Amino acid sequence: MPDPSYLPARGLTRREVLMIGAMNLAGWLLTPTRGLAERHENDLALVAKIPGMAERETPLLIFREFMADSDGEVEAHIRKTLPQRQALLTQIRERFELREPLRFSVEEIEVRLMFVPQPELRQAVAYHRYCLDITDYLFAMNRMDNFYAGITAPKKAYPPIAEKGISAFIVHRLAKVYRAICRFSDESGRIASYRVSGAIFSNHLGAVDLDIEFLDTENFRMQRRPFTIWQSNCSGLFQLMAIPVEETLHYCLGHATDRQIKGAFKQMPGLTLAAAKQVADAWMSVEEALVGGLVDRVLQRYCTRYQVLLPGLAFTQKPTKMPDLAQYRYRRQGIELVRRLGFRRSIDMYVDHPAVFKAHLDDVGKA
C-alpha cells in the first residue's frame, strides 16, 4: 500500500505547461512523446477500474462542523421524505390543531460535512495524478493561470482550506449530517415548528456552491465557496474523469453567471431571499448546461492528445445519463448546443452575453 502521506507528482510540470501554451492554440493536438502517452495510458487504465470497486461507508471523518447552509440537496431530501412520515404528520396536526391541507417550509438548515477518504490503493493515486494533469491541461488550453491552491486527497479530519485560491479535495464519498426547522401552517393561519435531523450521502459528485445572503431590501451578498469536494465513488468512467474538468469550468465561467444573476436582481425589486435563490438556481442550471457540453469536448481532446482508448469513453454516443437533479435540467441541450457552436464560440458567447446563450439553449430544447 502507498504511504498515506504520499502526494503524487504532477504529470505535467509547470515548465511543460508553459511549453505547451507557447507552441500554438492547437498545441494539444500534436503527437506526444511515446513515454508520456504510455504513462497517461497506464494511469487511466488504473482509473478505469475505480467505478467497479466496492463502495465504502467508513471511516467517516469530519470535513467541517455544523454551519448555516441553505443546502439544496438536503432541503430536497427533507421535502421528499417528510410527507412519507404519516404518523408524525398526524401527531403535529392534532397537537397544534392544524387542518388539512398542510403546507410546510424548510428553514434554518445547518449542515456538517463528512467524508470517507480515498483508499490507499494504486487506483486512488492514479486518479489523484489524473486530476492534477487534467486541470493543468485545461488551464494551458485556455491560457489561464492555475487558481488552485491545492488538489489533495485528505486522510485526516478537518482538512485545511487555503486562505488564497481554491482548495479541491478528492474523497471517496461525501456525507451531510443535517438539522433544520420545518414550519407547518394551514389556511387558518396556525403555525407549528418541528426540528428535523438526519444524514445522507451526497449525490453531487462535485460541487461549486453559490452562497446568497440577504443584507437588506434589494441587496444580497453572493459568493462562491473557496473549496470544492470531488467524489470518486461513481458509476461510470466518463463521470469520474469529468469531475475535475466540470468543477474547474464552473469557477472559470462563474463570473459571467454571477453578473447575470446580479443584473436580474436589480430588475426585480422587493425580492425575498427564497425568490432570489430561485433566480440564481435557474441561471446556475444554464451554466451547468454549458459546462456539460464543454466537458465532453475537453475529455475527447485530452484522450486524443495522449492517444488513449478506454472502454466506457464513447464520445459519439448519446450523452451519459445524469443524476435526476434540477440543476441538470438543460444538460442534454447544452451538450448539443456546444457541439453545434464549437468550444471557443460557446465560451465567448456565454462570457459576453449569458442571456443570448440561454436563448440558443431554448431553441435546441424546442427542436
Side-chain angles (χ1 to χ4, degrees):
M1 288 186 180
D3 186 334
S5 63
Y6 173 75
L7 178 65
R10 288 178 180 268
L12 292 177
T13 65
R14 183 62 53 194
R15 178 179 178 83
E16 289 174 314
V17 170
L18 291 174
M19 290 176 63
I20 291 172
M23 289 180 182
N24 53 43
L25 186 59
W28 28 266
L29 290 177
L30 298 177
T31 303
T33 63
R34 181 175 179 81
L36 189 61
E38 287 180 349
R39 197 205 63 208
H40 279 78
E41 187 172 13
N42 291 338
D43 272 357
L44 293 179
L46 288 171
V47 170
K49 297 179 180 180
I50 294 177
M53 296 175 67
E55 182 178 78
R56 295 181 297 114
E57 297 185 355
T58 57
L60 262 179
L61 307 178
I62 299 176
F63 179 87
R64 184 195 70 186
E65 281 294 355
F66 279 104
M67 290 185 64
D69 189 342
S70 56
D71 191 296
E73 185 178 32
V74 168
E75 180 174 347
H77 171 77
I78 295 173
R79 288 187 175 279
K80 180 180 179 180
T81 57
L82 192 59
Q84 300 172 6
R85 301 173 63 181
Q86 292 300 322
L88 172 63
L89 295 179
T90 298
Q91 179 183 353
I92 292 174
R93 188 173 57 250
E94 293 177 350
R95 179 180 176 183
F96 295 97
E97 299 180 350
L98 300 177
R99 300 177 182 177
E100 295 285 0
L102 288 182
R103 296 186 296 269
F104 81 93
S105 60
V106 184
E107 305 172 9
E108 301 178 35
I109 300 175
E110 294 182 318
V111 177
R112 170 195 277 167
L113 297 178
M114 305 188 74
F115 68 97
V116 179
Q118 286 279 78
E120 298 172 21
L121 299 172
R122 288 192 306 150
Q123 291 89 338
V125 174
Y127 184 62
H128 192 169
R129 187 157 49 230
Y130 161 75
C131 289
L132 294 167
D133 279 338
I134 191 67
T135 50
D136 269 347
Y137 172 79
L138 183 58
F139 287 123
M141 178 175 151
N142 288 284
R143 299 180 178 180
M144 294 179 60
D145 291 334
N146 189 331
F147 48 64
Y148 285 115
I151 300 176
T152 61
K155 302 296 183 183
K156 297 181 180 179
Y158 304 106
I161 298 173
E163 294 184 2
K164 294 183 179 180
I166 306 300
S167 298
F169 301 96
I170 308 169
V171 304
H172 175 64
R173 298 185 77 182
L174 174 66
K176 299 177 180 180
V177 182
Y178 64 85
R179 54 196 185 199
I181 299 294
C182 288
R183 302 199 191 281
F184 296 87
S185 61
D186 63 12
E187 293 180 352
S188 70
R190 292 189 177 91
I191 298 176
S193 297
Y194 180 78
R195 181 178 291 275
V196 297
S197 61
I200 59 172
F201 277 107
S202 176
N203 194 33
H204 293 167
L205 298 179
V208 176
D209 294 312
L210 176 63
D211 293 327
I212 301 179
E213 179 184 356
F214 181 80
L215 298 178
D216 54 55
T217 305
E218 301 181 15
N219 283 293
F220 299 89
R221 177 185 292 128
M222 291 173 42
Q223 181 179 8
R224 296 196 178 220
R225 295 181 185 175
F227 68 87
T228 176
I229 301 175
W230 303 343
Q231 297 191 72
S232 66
N233 179 58
C234 58
S235 59
L237 178 59
F238 184 93
Q239 287 181 314
L240 183 64
M241 293 181 66
I243 293 168
V245 181
E246 183 169 344
E247 306 317 314
T248 302
L249 285 169
H250 276 300
Y251 281 112
C252 292
L253 299 167
H255 65 94
T257 309
D258 298 351
R259 184 184 71 241
Q260 183 70 30
I261 294 171
K262 290 177 181 177
F265 288 170
K266 291 181 180 179
Q267 297 176 14
M268 305 170 70
L271 273 181
T272 63
L273 179 59
K277 289 179 179 179
Q278 289 181 349
V279 172
D281 287 345
W283 279 107
M284 287 296 287
S285 67
V286 177
E287 178 183 306
E288 194 74 58
L290 170 59
V291 166
L294 297 176
V295 166
D296 189 69
R297 301 297 90 191
V298 171
L299 288 182
Q300 185 173 20
R301 291 170 179 176
Y302 179 82
C303 290
T304 298
R305 172 173 172 74
Y306 294 113
Q307 302 174 351
V308 173
L309 296 175
L310 291 172
L313 290 179
F315 297 99
T316 58
Q317 294 180 354
K318 294 182 179 180
T320 306
K321 179 174 172 35
M322 299 302 298
D324 186 19
L325 299 170
Q327 69 194 74
Y328 296 127
R329 56 185 176 272
Y330 302 127
R331 192 64 177 253
R332 290 185 180 274
Q333 295 97 305
I335 293 173
E336 177 60 30
L337 181 56
V338 172
R339 286 176 178 172
R340 293 183 187 181
L341 296 177
F343 186 90
R344 178 50 55 190
R345 187 184 173 198
S346 297
I347 292 178
D348 290 344
M349 179 184 294
Y350 188 81
V351 169
D352 293 338
H353 303 289
V356 173
F357 183 87
K358 173 64 165 59
H360 281 276
L361 200 64
D362 292 338
D363 290 339
V364 173
K366 296 174 183 176

